[in-house]
Amino acid sequence: MENIKKQLADIFDYVRDTPIVKNGNRVIFGMILLSVLATFLNTIPSVNAVANNILTVIDIVTVLFFTAEYVLRLALCGENIERYRGFKGKLKYAFSFFPVIDLLAIAPFYLSFMFDGTYEWMVVMRIFRLFRLFRFLKSYSYIMDSFKGIKDQFNISMQFLVIITFVLSMILYYVEVQAQPDVYSGGLESLLWAFMQYIGDPGGFADYSPITTVGRVISVLIGILGLALFAVPAGLIGSAFTDAIDKKNKDDEVRANRETLHTAFSRTTIKDRDSFFRFMPNFVYMEDLQARKQLSLENVQDIIRLQNEEKCLKRYRLKDIGESVSTTGSHITHQLVVEHYLCNRSYGFFHREPNSLVTIVANVHRSSANLYAFYLAKFGGFNLVIKEEDPSPTYPSSWVSLEEDQVEVADAISGTKNSTKIGTTTSKERSQEEYDAFKDFVSDIHSCRKEGGVLIFVNAAEDESKSGVERTAGVHFVYGNKLGVNEYDPESLLISSPELMDRIINGSAAVLKEKFDINVARNDFFRLLRNNMIRHVWGGVKKHNRNKFYLKINKELVVWDTRCVLIMRELATVIAKEVDGRDIEITPEMKAKGLGYDGYWEDTDDKKQ
């Protein structure tokens, strides 16, 4: 059901250039043309006499189709656009331009049951269906973009024109009232005369003229202003329209560059014993893109700009990995790279596996860390929730340590009942977009909760040089609020099945030590503060079986060591066996050649993004 809602919302909003979205809009476009054609043919007596019944059936079918479309648009308007969520958002959407046109297009059919259907105004209203075509015409988008680009300049020029006209008309009144007191009985007549000159006074509302010398001079000035009334906006609109066409050509070039950038994320083969699978590179160096793909930094920045405008599923971002530790242990001063990620939610990416009890969550985007959260979920067939976007660019948030207002939101969604208020004091006002994204994030996590389920937050541990602590382990299981204390604290409400947790940790420790010589630690180097987000999801209702922990992997493994892909596979094997009671297998799509995330999941199979 969720997938159907998402696909319908994508069709209505045209947020993704996919076959389903394209075909859905073609159907709507065809029904509009059919309806308008039937309305036109109905005005031809010879055609109406022969095909009246057919035209009536077409009218009924198309109106019912448009009615269903209008209701669905209203119901799903907030699915992709945050400002249309909730009752107020839907009300705002209902009174915007296209929904009003949609309503006017179907209103005559239903009003005809209450009034005489032959009323001319009802027939005229049916023609409004033609305006619905603007949704699909590029010319309309060009014109709207043009007006948006010159809105401020246009307002300024119109304000100047109105003020000057008002001043001149008042001067005209004072010089003409003495000569023509019967004609200029008040300032309204002179003001009306001035504005009527701009449009040629087609209704004869100001069929009089100044007769004084000063009045005639003012009439000349008003005439010159009349020329400016059309010349200035025409110049502005013409220039803006040219800019819109140039932007369209520029965007076409950026889309081509985006396809080129996508080829840089070609999946590489890993040979491990008898199994072969392919993984996507963590990132691509900017220097390599310039040398091999002829893509400059400006090209990549344009790609990022356009992807945000078009709400693409597949996205890219620039990162500086200069402070990451290399395989030799040395530090790089600065190194600009491009990362590839997915985004189908306001906060990032969500995928649900209906039969899995395991949910993988990444609540802070760090270099390459979320990629390995993706692989852990993909190998294991687990649910996946990843924060990839910062709704507030001014105040980026990791959603790890929550503030009071965030705690209230998370607890309300998850049903947590804390005896005391937990969370740092709210330090800033949040935008509605940030609140909506955070709510979506928590709601999606909560929707994966099942009896006996396991919630795993995946994160990259900061460099040892930053923490000042030398670690003896590369992989960390964190579920307590005290360093070095491995017992399960019943007050934390994080672990409800110690036996299951022990099997996961011990099984992981054994296989990672044997295959990679990597040690596993519990709470030895990291701890969970009481305002950590993991405490505020999946609720505090004790009848639910809760098992929640952080899986932190040293950053040098995540960023630089390709073995991390193999580590994710082994961890997924242990977790799937212990929680879901099944073995994992390398699915065919993970062995196939490909670019980026293409074909990994049905959600991501969009060839044009």
Side-chain angles (χ1 to χ4, degrees):
M1 185 62 183
E2 285 292 324
N3 192 36
I4 294 175
K5 285 175 60 178
K6 188 74 176 75
Q7 288 181 348
L8 283 173
D10 289 346
I11 291 172
F12 294 149
D13 297 330
Y14 207 88
V15 297
R16 291 199 279 167
D17 188 13
T18 64
I20 292 177
V21 172
K22 283 184 174 181
N23 292 332
N25 277 275
R26 288 189 184 113
V27 171
I28 298 173
F29 188 85
M31 293 297 283
I32 295 172
L33 287 180
L34 180 63
S35 173
V36 172
L37 179 62
T39 301
F40 173 73
L41 293 177
N42 198 45
T43 64
I44 303 175
S46 59
V47 176
N48 189 32
V50 177
N52 180 262
N53 292 336
I54 297 175
L55 295 175
T56 301
V57 169
I58 291 175
D59 187 48
I60 293 173
V61 170
T62 54
V63 166
L64 293 178
F65 177 86
F66 295 146
T67 303
E69 181 201 355
Y70 178 78
V71 172
L72 287 172
R73 283 186 185 275
L74 195 60
L76 302 174
C77 60
E79 197 73 16
N80 289 319
I81 304 175
E82 286 82 358
R83 68 178 181 274
Y84 292 146
R85 292 183 179 175
F87 177 76
K88 290 183 179 180
K90 293 185 187 301
L91 200 62
K92 184 177 181 181
Y93 173 79
F95 285 97
S96 57
F97 177 73
F98 280 120
V100 170
I101 294 298
D102 292 343
L103 185 61
L104 291 176
I106 60 176
F109 177 81
Y110 297 103
L111 290 175
S112 65
F113 292 108
M114 296 180 287
F115 303 100
D116 185 358
T118 60
Y119 284 175
E120 292 184 4
W121 63 273
M122 285 191 181
V123 177
V124 171
M125 284 177 66
R126 291 163 59 130
I127 305 301
F128 278 100
R129 297 175 188 176
L130 191 60
F131 285 115
R132 303 184 76 243
L133 292 175
F134 284 147
R135 266 199 180 100
F136 311 97
L137 298 178
K138 289 185 177 179
S139 57
Y140 174 79
S141 64
Y142 290 155
I143 292 173
M144 288 299 100
D145 288 344
S146 300
F147 276 113
K148 288 178 183 177
I150 64 167
K151 183 174 63 175
D152 292 339
Q153 299 96 311
F154 190 82
N155 286 340
I156 291 172
S157 63
M158 288 299 100
Q159 290 168 9
F160 178 79
L161 185 67
V162 168
I163 292 173
I164 293 299
T165 302
F166 183 82
V167 171
L168 291 177
S169 65
M170 288 299 97
I171 296 174
L172 179 66
Y173 165 74
Y174 285 115
V175 299
E176 290 292 325
V177 69
Q178 302 297 329
Q180 303 182 76
D182 296 335
V183 174
Y184 293 92
S185 58
L188 181 62
E189 282 77 10
S190 62
L191 189 64
L192 179 65
W193 181 87
F195 280 104
M196 283 298 104
Q197 304 314 300
Y198 294 149
I199 60 175
D201 194 16
F205 296 104
D207 191 16
Y208 45 87
S209 301
I211 59 175
T212 65
T213 302
V214 176
R216 288 174 178 175
V217 171
I218 291 175
S219 67
V220 171
L221 294 176
I222 290 176
I224 295 173
L225 286 176
L227 296 176
L229 176 67
F230 296 99
V232 172
L236 290 173
I237 293 172
S239 175
F241 193 75
T242 301
D243 291 341
I245 296 294
D246 291 340
K247 183 179 182 300
K248 184 262 180 188
N249 294 333
K250 172 72 173 177
D251 288 348
D252 288 343
E253 180 184 344
V254 173
R255 292 186 189 96
N257 288 337
R258 187 167 63 195
E259 294 298 321
T260 302
L261 175 60
H262 195 50
T263 63
F265 289 89
S266 178
R267 298 206 286 264
T268 306
T269 303
I270 282 186
K271 182 178 180 181
D272 179 55
R273 296 183 181 178
D274 296 327
S275 63
F276 293 82
F277 62 91
R278 296 175 180 271
F279 77 101
M280 189 181 70
N282 301 1
F283 47 75
V284 177
Y285 291 105
M286 194 63 234
E287 290 90 342
D288 286 347
L289 288 176
Q290 292 172 324
R292 295 190 295 112
K293 302 295 182 180
Q294 288 74 55
L295 292 177
S296 66
L297 178 59
E298 182 181 358
N299 294 147
V300 175
Q301 290 171 329
D302 286 336
I303 291 170
I304 294 172
R305 170 192 59 79
L306 187 62
Q307 76 187 11
N308 293 331
E309 292 177 5
E310 296 185 339
K311 302 181 190 270
C312 296
L313 173 66
K314 297 185 180 72
R315 301 196 184 189
Y316 306 90
R317 61 173 165 241
L318 286 164
K319 282 277 187 174
D320 183 359
I321 59 170
E323 295 186 345
S324 299
V325 179
S326 70
T327 52
T328 61
S330 61
H331 284 74
I332 302 172
T333 305
H334 285 290
Q335 185 68 65
L336 199 60
V337 300
V338 178
E339 290 184 345
H340 177 30
Y341 66 100
L342 295 173
C343 190
N344 62 359
R345 285 289 196 271
S346 56
Y347 60 82
F349 183 74
F350 174 58
H351 175 81
R352 182 187 289 115
E353 289 286 347
N355 299 321
S356 180
L357 295 173
V358 181
T359 301
I360 307 298
V361 177
N363 55 337
V364 52
H365 57 76
R366 290 179 176 168
S367 297
S368 306
N370 289 357
L371 177 61
Y372 291 108
F374 177 94
Y375 279 121
L376 179 61
K378 179 59 185 174
F379 278 124
F382 306 142
N383 304 310
L384 179 62
V385 187
I386 302 182
K387 179 185 185 295
E388 296 282 14
E389 298 284 290
D390 271 324
S392 175
T394 307
Y395 300 100
S397 172
S398 64
W399 294 346
V400 174
S401 297
L402 303 185
E403 296 185 341
E404 287 178 351
D405 56 338
Q406 293 173 312
V407 168
E408 291 176 2
V409 171
D411 287 355
I413 293 172
S414 299
T416 302
K417 297 179 181 178
N418 294 311
S419 57
T420 58
K421 198 166 190 178
I422 301 170
T424 58
T425 304
T426 303
S427 61
K428 69 182 182 67
E429 290 190 11
R430 304 181 202 280
S431 66
Q432 188 61 46
E433 289 76 11
E434 187 175 358
Y435 265 120
D436 290 339
F438 183 73
K439 289 177 184 177
D440 290 344
F441 185 72
V442 178
S443 297
D444 285 340
I445 296 173
H446 185 67
S447 70
C448 297
R449 184 174 77 172
K450 292 183 180 179
E451 188 73 20
V454 174
L455 178 66
I456 307 172
F457 276 60
V458 179
N459 209 330
E462 63 181 6
D463 298 334
E464 293 182 17
S465 59
K466 281 188 173 183
S467 64
V469 177
E470 184 177 351
R471 306 188 195 112
T472 57
V475 176
H476 310 265
F477 289 83
V478 186
Y479 50 82
N481 57 10
K482 295 180 181 179
L483 290 176
V485 178
N486 296 330
E487 289 78 13
Y488 302 105
D489 180 8
E491 295 182 2
S492 71
L493 300 177
L494 293 183
I495 304 299
S496 61
S497 177
E499 298 81 7
L500 174 61
M501 192 68 190
D502 283 340
R503 292 199 304 271
I504 292 175
I505 297 177
N506 294 336
S508 300
V511 71
L512 295 185
K513 183 64 177 178
E514 176 189 351
K515 293 189 175 183
F516 309 105
D517 193 28
I518 293 176
N519 294 323
V520 169
R522 303 185 183 206
N523 300 324
D524 292 331
F525 303 97
F526 303 96
R527 65 190 180 99
L528 297 178
L529 300 177
R530 291 186 63 79
N531 65 340
N532 192 286
M533 184 174 188
I534 199 170
R535 299 180 182 276
H536 300 276
V537 289
W538 279 16
V541 183
K542 293 186 177 181
K543 68 178 182 178
H544 287 289
N545 192 349
R546 290 168 307 279
N547 291 287
K548 305 185 286 188
F549 62 90
Y550 260 92
L551 182 62
K552 298 178 78 73
I553 304 171
N554 286 354
K555 196 170 183 181
E556 58 265 25
L557 281 176
V558 169
V559 177
W560 301 104
D561 199 331
T562 57
R563 293 183 306 164
C564 200
V565 181
L566 302 175
I567 293 172
M568 292 298 105
R569 186 187 66 175
E570 298 302 334
L571 289 172
T573 301
V574 173
I575 295 168
K577 184 69 174 179
E578 298 299 339
V579 181
D580 290 337
R582 58 180 173 83
D583 296 323
I584 71 167
E585 59 182 40
I586 306 300
T587 52
E589 66 268 18
M590 294 199 72
K591 297 181 181 181
K593 293 181 179 179
L595 301 173
Y597 295 99
D598 288 355
Y600 270 167
W601 274 322
E602 182 181 351
D603 306 58
T604 65
D605 195 16
D606 299 328
K607 304 303 181 186
K608 288 290 183 182
Q609 293 296 332

